[in-house]
Amino acid sequence: MSELTRISAPDGVAAAAQYSHVVLGTGRFVAIAGQLALDERGRLVGEGDPAAQARQVFENLRRCLAAAGATFDDVVKLTYFVTDMAHMPAVRAARAEHIPDDRLPAASAVQVAALVRPECLIEVEAFAVVAP
């Protein structure tokens, strides 16, 4: 695990409630492509169910991080792509199962018209820094 510093309220910037404004550290950079709610066979998990999809997305992220020798503790940035901002509570709940509030990464949330597979509601990409 790398040594990361999280800054939720830099001077002159309003405090962040659900993310850190700044995360910095030294180590090996890991980029995880946007993950969808697909199982290991490429089948959708949780059709029409944002909570089930969010859980699968975070499980896929966990597996991808592990493949790089990383964990959620190493994540410095998450980007959420949702087809409806109403899905964000489900995303936050799934994130909370993997990342405690005192270790929140920087984050961005973007509402999109559609994802690469139309039945998908959520996609999340991650960036991590792992100790050398």
Side-chain angles (χ1 to χ4, degrees):
M1 180 171 60
S2 64
E3 188 67 33
L4 300 179
T5 302
R6 291 168 175 81
I7 304 170
S8 62
D11 289 343
V13 178
Q18 295 292 323
Y19 59 93
S20 297
H21 279 293
V22 179
V23 181
L24 56 118
T26 16
R28 187 170 42 90
F29 180 75
V30 177
I32 306 295
Q35 296 297 302
L36 300 169
L38 304 177
D39 68 13
E40 61 277 359
R41 295 184 184 171
R43 295 178 302 209
L44 179 69
V45 173
E47 185 165 354
D49 181 349
Q53 288 197 22
R55 285 190 301 274
Q56 183 64 43
V57 164
F58 274 86
E59 178 58 19
N60 291 349
L61 286 169
R62 185 194 66 73
R63 290 175 178 169
C64 290
L65 287 163
T71 70
F72 279 104
D73 284 341
D74 302 308
V75 172
V76 296
K77 174 78 163 64
L78 292 171
T79 305
Y80 311 110
F81 302 96
V82 294
T83 58
D84 187 329
M85 280 297 174
H87 301 327
M88 284 307 297
V91 171
R92 284 189 209 95
R95 182 198 64 207
E97 294 175 17
H98 297 277
I99 305 173
D101 285 348
D102 66 339
R103 301 200 52 82
L104 293 174
S108 299
V110 181
Q111 182 171 323
V112 296
L115 295 168
V116 68
R117 291 195 39 183
E119 66 274 25
C120 292
L121 306 173
I122 298 162
E123 181 174 342
V124 181
E125 68 180 13
F127 298 101
V129 175
V130 182

